């Protein structure tokens, strides 16, 4: 009101009044932008307030905070924080910056790229993964406590799980072991020389489509070195690879991407792949009379996965899993009138129509089956008597299991009654 009165009675204050209004408007919109930005960071599962504050601070002061990392830690953060194809597009360039001592330029670009790929949350989680709790607490005001541990265990779309596994492998080997692995088992990889982090060598060899190929090669190298515990970290992310005539290889997921174009929208693409998927021969189960093949251990199975390998499956806290919801609906409507393969096709059609948001990015989902069925399978709606019969059988199995456990405990406690216990077990088994 003071400036309004002054403006009315004294034109000389006109400039002061306008500057005041402009400054106040700027402050208002800046505060609103920060509030909206903070709201945009929040994920559906519910991000703790301290994590949100840490994310905002990293957006504003990330470069100065990250400068406290040493070269190896910095390379690990680059590897963890660049999501999706950003690692292939920018990872090697940032690693070269680090090699040349240009840490400031590295972190300036990393903060921007992290925002583009998954938000400031990936940088916070990357610092958590590499164990720089001091930076989280002292610089970002984020207490490292049970709540934070539980939050990052939920894997709600921050750092990609395969990157975490890769970091565990890199952190689990001394530098001499890394150099030995590269020199003896991964000699085809382009390497700048000994003494460099494994993540740096990985991104040096990374292109847009060979991520899983490199991951497979590292997995096989660890197995060859009998580093089974480290190899087990990568095992869930190992994908089957089509070895080509020039002895290069490509993952089946990358093959699907290469064979897709806008012209093929909603058109079936059929893949018939002649390739080994392991080293073990599948042994038949034979009839004793005439050696006729009956079946084998992999026969008559159907495994339906919520998503295609390499991609996330969506679960809503309020409505549940997309896949399970659509599967139950399809079973309820069609399970008793269609073969199971058609029910799963209905499920996939419903999934395809879904779209949601995760980390400020639109996502969808597609289920996938591995089928070794040799005939159609169709469910039927049983009568009540069949349902009750099933419950009775399950109860009998539970009772038998309990009796077996009790008998085994008695065997462990005393060997005196071994014969009688074995006899009683046989009676239980055949009664």
């Amino acid at each position: 009101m003071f400036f309004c009165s002054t403006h009315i009675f004294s034109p000389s204050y006109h400039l002061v009044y306008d500057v005041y209004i402009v400054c106040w408007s700027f402050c208002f919109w800046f505060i609103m932008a920060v509030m909206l930005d903070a709201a945009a960071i929040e994920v559906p599962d519910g991000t703790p307030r301290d994590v949100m504050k840490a994310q905002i601070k990293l957006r504003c002061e990330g470069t100065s905070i990250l400068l406290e990392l040493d070269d190896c830690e910095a390379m690990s953060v680059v590897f963890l924080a660049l999501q999706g194809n950003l690692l292939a597009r920018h990872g090697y360039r940032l690693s070269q910056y680090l090699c040349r001592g240009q840490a400031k330029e590295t972190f300036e670009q990393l903060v921007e790229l992290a925002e583009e790929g998954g938000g400031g949350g990936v940088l916070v989680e990357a610092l958590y993964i590499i164990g720089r709790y001091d930076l989280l607490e002292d610089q970002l005001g984020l207490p490292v406590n049970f709540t934070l541990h539980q939050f990052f265990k939920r894997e709600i779309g921050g750092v990609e799980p395969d990157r975490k596994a890769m970091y565990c492998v890199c952190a689990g080997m001394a530098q001499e072991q890394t150099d030995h692995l590269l020199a003896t088992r991964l000699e085809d990889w382009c390497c700048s020389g000994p003494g460099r982090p494994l993540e740096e060598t990985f991104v040096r060899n990374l292109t847009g489509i060979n991520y899983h190929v490199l991951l497979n090669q590292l997995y096989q190298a660890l197995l060859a070195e009998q580093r089974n515990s480290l190899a087990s970290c990568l095992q869930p992310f190992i994908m089957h690879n089509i070895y080509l005539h020039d002895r290069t290889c490509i993952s089946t997921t990358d093959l699907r991407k290469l064979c897709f174009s806008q012209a093929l929208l909603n058109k079936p693409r059929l893949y018939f792949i002649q390739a080994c998927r392991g080293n073990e021969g599948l042994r038949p189960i034979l009839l004793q009379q005439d050696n006729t093949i009956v079946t084998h251990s992999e026969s008559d199975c159907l495994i339906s996965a919520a998503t295609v390998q390499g991609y996330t499956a969506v679960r809503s806290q309020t409505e549940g899993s997309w896949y399970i919801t659509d599967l139950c609906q399809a079973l309820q409507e069609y399970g008793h009138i269609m073969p199971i393969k058609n029910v799963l096709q209905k499920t996939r059609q419903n999934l395809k129509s879904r779209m949601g948001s995760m980390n400020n990015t639109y996502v969808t989902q597609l289920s996938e089956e591995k089928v070794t069925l040799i005939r159609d399978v169709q469910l039927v709606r049983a009568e009540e008597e069949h349902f009750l019969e099933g419950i009775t059988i399950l109860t009998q199995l539970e009772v038998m299991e309990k009796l077996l456990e009790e008998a085994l405990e008695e065997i462990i406690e005393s060997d005196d009654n071994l014969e009688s216990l074995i006899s009683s077990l046989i009676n239980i088994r055949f009664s």
Side-chain angles (χ1 to χ4, degrees):
M1 291 299 294
F2 170 77
F3 288 104
C4 287
S5 301
T6 306
H7 171 62
I8 292 172
F9 294 106
S10 176
S12 63
Y13 282 91
H14 181 79
L15 180 61
V16 177
Y17 172 76
D18 288 345
V19 170
Y20 170 80
I21 293 297
V22 170
C23 291
W24 173 250
S25 299
F26 173 78
C27 293
F28 173 77
W29 286 113
F30 176 77
I31 293 170
M32 288 297 295
V34 171
M35 291 174 65
L36 291 173
D37 208 21
I41 296 173
E42 188 169 5
V43 293
D45 298 68
T47 305
R49 186 182 301 273
D50 290 335
V51 175
M52 294 175 63
K53 291 180 179 178
Q55 292 176 16
I56 295 172
K57 190 166 185 180
L58 264 179
R59 288 181 173 182
C60 302
E61 307 174 25
T63 300
S64 60
I65 294 172
L66 295 173
L67 281 172
E68 298 193 26
L69 301 174
D70 62 34
D71 285 348
C72 289
E73 291 174 333
M75 189 62 237
S76 295
V77 169
V78 168
F79 185 81
L80 292 168
L82 291 182
Q83 304 296 281
N85 291 327
L86 291 177
L87 186 66
R89 288 158 48 195
H90 304 284
Y92 179 62
R93 175 169 52 81
L94 295 186
S95 71
Q96 291 300 100
Y97 284 170
L98 290 173
C99 285
R100 295 195 292 262
Q102 297 175 279
K104 185 174 183 295
E105 291 84 349
T106 301
F107 296 134
E108 285 176 349
Q109 296 187 31
L110 180 61
V111 171
E112 294 180 5
L113 291 170
E115 287 298 313
E116 177 184 340
V122 292
L123 282 174
V124 176
E125 187 173 1
L127 292 176
Y128 172 84
I129 291 171
I130 70 171
R132 286 306 302 264
Y133 298 163
D134 56 326
L135 293 182
L136 294 178
E137 293 188 330
D138 299 340
Q139 299 289 348
L140 299 176
L142 182 60
V144 180
N145 51 27
F146 177 77
T147 301
L148 190 68
H149 294 315
Q150 291 299 109
F151 172 70
F152 283 129
K153 279 183 180 179
R154 283 185 286 171
E155 296 184 352
I156 56 172
V159 175
E160 294 167 347
D162 50 338
R163 301 287 176 80
K164 298 178 187 178
M166 180 72 176
Y167 173 77
C168 290
V169 171
C170 298
M173 291 192 295
Q175 186 61 55
E176 309 84 62
Q177 296 169 328
T178 298
D179 294 339
H180 171 76
L181 192 74
L182 292 170
T184 59
R185 302 293 182 183
L186 299 169
E187 59 269 20
D188 292 337
W189 284 21
C190 177
C191 182
S192 59
R196 302 304 305 168
L198 181 57
E199 299 101 320
E200 178 186 307
T201 304
F202 188 93
V203 299
R204 176 184 286 270
N205 292 269
L206 186 61
T207 64
I209 63 171
N210 73 340
Y211 178 86
H212 286 99
V213 173
L214 295 180
L215 209 63
N216 283 11
Q217 291 175 352
L218 177 58
Y219 174 74
Q220 297 297 333
L222 291 169
L223 289 179
E225 288 290 310
Q226 298 184 343
R227 305 299 299 271
N228 296 334
S229 60
L230 292 179
S232 65
C233 297
L234 299 180
Q235 199 278 330
F237 310 102
I238 296 305
M239 304 176 69
H240 298 292
N241 294 329
I242 293 206
Y243 279 84
L244 310 180
H245 68 91
D246 59 356
R247 305 188 67 82
T248 60
C249 61
I250 185 172
S251 73
T252 53
T253 296
D254 290 335
L255 177 65
R256 286 188 290 225
K257 293 177 182 176
L258 286 174
C259 296
F260 177 77
S261 71
Q262 293 293 324
L264 296 177
L265 276 175
N266 297 320
K267 294 181 173 62
R269 299 180 297 282
L270 308 181
Y271 301 89
F272 302 93
I273 301 173
Q274 160 55 36
C276 295
R277 301 185 73 177
N279 299 319
E280 185 177 351
L282 186 59
R283 298 182 179 181
I285 299 174
L286 305 175
L287 283 176
Q288 293 184 354
Q289 293 86 348
D290 56 4
N291 285 343
T292 302
I293 296 177
V294 179
T295 184
H296 46 68
S297 59
E298 297 290 335
S299 180
D300 297 302
C301 293
L302 183 149
I303 301 174
S304 179
T307 184
V308 178
Q309 187 165 355
Y311 296 92
T312 57
V314 179
R315 179 183 63 83
S316 167
Q317 271 198 327
T318 56
E319 299 179 1
S321 160
W322 284 3
Y323 169 69
I324 296 299
T325 299
D326 290 343
L327 175 60
C328 290
Q329 180 179 346
L331 285 170
Q332 181 69 23
E333 294 182 15
Y334 308 105
H336 59 296
I337 58 176
M338 287 184 176
I340 190 67
K341 64 180 181 182
N342 298 102
V343 174
L344 293 174
Q345 191 175 47
K346 293 286 187 182
T347 303
R348 191 156 35 252
Q349 289 173 353
N350 291 335
L351 270 177
K352 185 181 177 182
S353 66
R354 287 181 177 267
M355 185 171 65
S357 177
M358 181 182 294
N359 293 324
N360 300 325
T361 302
Y362 288 113
V363 295
T364 185
Q365 187 174 324
L366 200 67
S367 59
E368 183 178 46
E369 286 82 49
K370 173 188 175 184
V371 182
T372 60
L373 299 175
I374 59 174
R375 58 179 64 89
D376 282 343
V377 175
Q378 182 175 322
L379 305 177
V380 296
R381 285 183 174 173
E383 300 296 332
E384 183 178 353
E385 60 185 33
H386 295 105
F387 176 77
L388 295 175
E389 181 183 351
I391 295 295
T392 303
I393 293 173
L394 287 175
T395 304
Q396 290 174 345
L397 289 173
E398 290 180 359
V399 171
M400 183 181 295
E401 184 179 3
K402 183 65 175 178
L403 290 173
L404 288 171
E405 289 178 357
E406 293 175 355
L408 288 173
E409 289 177 0
E410 291 184 29
I411 290 176
I412 294 173
E413 292 175 357
S414 173
D415 294 333
D416 297 337
N417 300 322
L418 183 59
E419 292 184 4
S420 61
L421 287 171
I422 292 176
S423 177
S424 64
L425 282 174
I426 294 174
N427 292 334
I428 292 172
R429 173 66 180 86
F430 291 100
S431 60

